[in-house]
Amino acid sequence: MDGAEAERLFERFRLEVWSDRHWDSEFTPSPHQPDQKLREFLDGAGPAAVPLLLDALSGDRDLRYWACVGLERLGPAAGDAAAEALVELVTARRDPWQTAAVSLDAVAPDRARALGVHRWPETMERVTDRHLRLPAGATAHVERFVAEKGGKEGGEEGGEDGGETDEDVVRFLAQHRLRDWIVRDRPPGLADLLRGLLHGDRGAGVRRAAAEILVMSGVDTIAAEHIEALCHGGPLSPGIVERVAAHPASERLVPWLISRPGAAEALSELTLRRRCAGLGTDPVPLRELLRRCVAQAPDRWPGPRFGAAVPDAVAGLRDETMLVHLLPMLHEDRLGPSEFNALVAAFASFGAPGRELLDQHRRQHPGVERVRWALDAVDAARPARLDDADDAFLRGRIESTLGGAFTAYGAVLLARPSAHAAFQLAWIDRAYGAPVTADRVAWIRGLGFADDGLLAELSRPVERPLEGLRFQWDCGGSRRHDPGRAARAAAAGLPSLAAQWCRDDALDRAAADHVARVRRAAGTSAGPGG
């Protein structure tokens, strides 16, 4: 293409940028598309686009931004002159220098890496996102980043000349889109790299970051070494607790969580899921924290002050001595519905002692209407039913944001011993990568489960557990179409969940057959209270 045609295409692109910037309407989106005109310019001008884009780098900010985007799309073909211009823009911190840094990584990767744009806090995520958009993914980018080892955590050896510090690696592995990609796609090679970080000589922060990704992706069977690495850094996410709570070593998390602010929710999740796995948790170390959570509840206005975590934790611990410390919550004006319901469930779970304590408190405080409401709710509380839990399981509502089969089976097990509920809880845990130990299998058998074939299958880990947060596999009650996810859920042993992602009567029949077999093995009778 001759220079005149290239200039004509560039002028059309430049005019589109100008028109988009000056579009003046509060109600109608701009009809102008600079990105489309840039693509037409690059496709039509070819190599002749480079000098025009370099000239645009000296224009206004909007034109400089789009020039950087154009050079990024050209990549190494933009040449050394483009690399020099981008380096100058980046080092001068002239807007849009973050976009220029990403362009430099595409045009001259070695120059960008020597400059350190891949580890600067302002540009790290942008550069990583560029690699995630590449067809080959970001595997090579992650491997190079981790390999450029610098100083230890908080040390002075890292930086522009010494490679990545541990602090850089922790911040790098904490990027949400990078984590989501690793957890979802499990790119070959990165699992071994993360295992190397977990067992290597890096700092505690790096080992924790590697353990979190390994746990969430399900590439490793949960082990004590993962839990040990998690006992450092910031708060634990619900997804981490979901996956590690069923391991006997998860009790190691308790002392560390107690020392962290705002740990009541994580402790509640941990104690409840440990109980569902047949594991007890010593309540003594937790009592002071739970009493403090009630006595010194954080002010959150508007809205409730306590959260449902404290009564849930008391119920999960089966710690009757803590019930009396829950009573002040009933005097709080900002007691939300979820907190009130959790309080009722906690008192009801202790049966007659819980009701008697509430009744005694009502007599001592006749003017507090909420205490009477709680007592009435305890009296009206319906025992948890296996039929309801099985119904949620058959509908594919395994771990939804508002309850689901796991929560329902857990409520049954909290109320009374149940081989049926204990097996189903372990079956769901297994699908999501939580370990099912020999002791847990023996516990289920001891409750009266009489199907050795199902117990043997329960003991075998699934080939590829369902990754990520459990509730993200829930369809919200409406079926969707994703055959890939359906196949994954079916292979993990959850055909009813698979049926939510791909309508298939065979999956519904498989789920019904599974529940029927579990009922026979556990000696569960259908009907009320079943």
Side-chain angles (χ1 to χ4, degrees):
M1 173 180 291
D2 58 29
E5 179 63 15
E7 289 182 4
R8 186 186 68 80
L9 291 173
F10 178 77
E11 185 61 24
R12 288 178 56 189
F13 156 67
R14 189 194 64 77
L15 181 61
E16 194 75 3
V17 172
W18 186 93
S19 300
D20 183 65
R21 183 174 71 242
H22 291 86
W23 177 256
D24 186 18
S25 174
E26 298 180 6
F27 307 104
T28 306
S30 170
H32 303 287
Q33 301 179 1
D35 185 72
Q36 179 181 335
K37 294 300 180 183
L38 175 62
R39 292 182 184 277
E40 293 174 359
F41 165 60
L42 296 175
D43 292 342
V50 175
L52 295 170
L53 292 174
L54 293 180
D55 287 342
L57 289 178
S58 59
D60 59 48
R61 187 190 183 284
D62 287 343
L63 196 57
R64 289 199 303 272
Y65 167 81
W66 286 107
C68 290
V69 173
L71 292 172
E72 176 191 344
R73 290 174 181 170
L74 290 173
D80 293 338
E84 291 293 341
L86 290 170
V87 167
E88 182 180 349
L89 194 62
V90 170
T91 54
R93 293 294 199 272
R94 186 184 178 198
D95 281 341
W97 68 270
Q98 295 98 331
T99 307
V102 178
S103 302
L104 180 62
D105 184 65
V107 172
D110 293 338
R111 293 286 299 274
R113 190 161 291 274
L115 201 58
V117 300
H118 59 297
R119 62 172 170 263
W120 293 346
E122 304 93 336
T123 56
M124 176 186 287
E125 192 163 5
R126 292 171 181 244
V127 172
T128 301
D129 287 347
R130 188 189 81 79
H131 286 273
L132 289 173
R133 292 192 297 268
L134 297 176
T139 300
H141 179 62
V142 176
E143 292 173 341
R144 285 197 305 269
F145 194 104
V146 174
E148 294 179 5
K149 185 175 178 180
K152 297 297 181 185
E153 190 164 0
E156 298 179 356
E157 298 177 25
E160 293 192 9
D161 299 322
E164 275 61 62
T165 64
D166 280 2
E167 185 180 353
D168 291 331
V169 176
V170 170
R171 190 168 63 246
F172 179 76
L173 294 177
Q175 298 176 93
H176 294 298
R177 284 182 289 275
L178 177 66
R179 279 199 174 198
D180 289 345
W181 171 69
I182 297 175
V183 167
R184 182 186 67 248
D185 293 354
R186 297 167 60 162
L190 287 191
D192 289 336
L193 183 145
L194 292 168
R195 293 187 189 106
L197 292 177
L198 176 63
H199 301 115
D201 60 352
R202 292 283 198 173
V206 174
R207 292 198 299 273
R208 169 176 168 140
E212 286 180 342
I213 299 175
L214 288 170
V215 166
M216 292 300 292
S217 62
V219 296
D220 282 356
T221 300
I222 306 300
E225 60 190 8
H226 298 100
I227 295 172
E228 186 64 33
L230 293 172
C231 294
H232 303 279
L236 287 176
S237 70
I240 296 294
V241 175
E242 287 174 354
R243 290 181 177 274
V244 305
H247 195 284
S250 63
E251 194 166 16
R252 296 183 189 178
L253 295 171
V254 171
W256 177 74
L257 286 172
I258 290 175
S259 67
R260 305 295 302 177
E265 186 173 354
L267 284 169
S268 168
E269 189 79 7
L270 180 65
T271 54
L272 284 169
R273 289 185 180 271
R274 280 180 58 83
R275 184 169 182 80
C276 290
L279 302 171
T281 305
D282 184 6
V284 175
L286 297 172
R287 286 171 181 162
E288 179 57 32
L289 171 67
L290 296 175
R291 283 195 294 264
R292 195 165 61 246
C293 287
V294 175
Q296 302 173 1
D299 287 323
R300 297 198 302 268
W301 183 262
R305 295 180 64 198
F306 299 100
V310 175
D312 283 346
V314 172
L317 289 167
R318 307 304 296 153
D319 187 14
E320 190 175 327
T321 62
M322 274 298 300
L323 277 179
V324 68
H325 298 287
L326 297 181
L327 293 171
M329 294 178 66
L330 291 169
H331 296 259
E332 170 59 46
D333 290 337
R334 282 187 279 154
L335 189 72
S338 63
E339 298 168 310
F340 180 80
N341 292 334
L343 273 172
V344 169
F347 281 99
S349 69
F350 287 91
R355 188 198 182 284
E356 176 58 31
L357 186 61
L358 267 179
D359 191 37
Q360 180 182 348
H361 195 69
R362 178 188 61 80
R363 292 193 298 268
Q364 294 172 351
H365 303 276
V368 182
E369 195 172 19
R370 196 177 285 107
V371 179
R372 180 174 58 80
W373 295 345
L375 187 61
D376 291 343
V378 168
D379 288 338
R382 189 184 71 170
R385 300 176 355 127
L386 277 171
D387 286 349
D388 295 336
D390 284 342
D391 179 65
F393 184 87
L394 291 172
R395 288 186 290 110
R397 305 305 305 276
I398 308 299
E399 285 263 21
S400 61
T401 52
L402 297 175
F406 192 94
T407 301
Y409 285 123
V412 171
L413 193 62
L414 191 65
R416 60 189 182 276
S418 169
H420 183 139
F423 178 88
Q424 286 291 80
L425 288 164
W427 189 261
I428 294 170
D429 272 341
R430 170 181 175 267
Y432 290 98
V436 180
T437 63
D439 288 343
R440 187 173 184 180
V441 174
W443 170 63
I444 296 171
R445 182 182 283 111
L447 290 172
F449 199 85
D451 189 325
D452 289 339
L454 267 180
L455 289 176
E457 186 174 357
L458 178 66
S459 302
R460 292 190 295 270
V462 298
E463 183 176 347
R464 181 175 177 180
L466 306 182
E467 75 283 342
L469 297 171
R470 295 188 182 192
F471 75 85
Q472 291 177 333
W473 284 84
D474 185 67
C475 289
S478 58
R479 295 179 185 251
R480 303 181 189 177
H481 186 71
D482 189 331
R485 288 177 76 85
R488 295 274 317 286
L494 298 177
S496 61
L497 178 62
Q500 299 303 303
W501 292 97
C502 184
R503 187 181 295 274
D504 187 340
D505 292 341
L507 293 172
D508 292 327
R509 288 193 298 271
D513 291 343
H514 170 83
V515 170
R517 184 176 176 183
V518 172
R519 281 184 169 272
R520 289 193 299 271
T524 305
S525 60

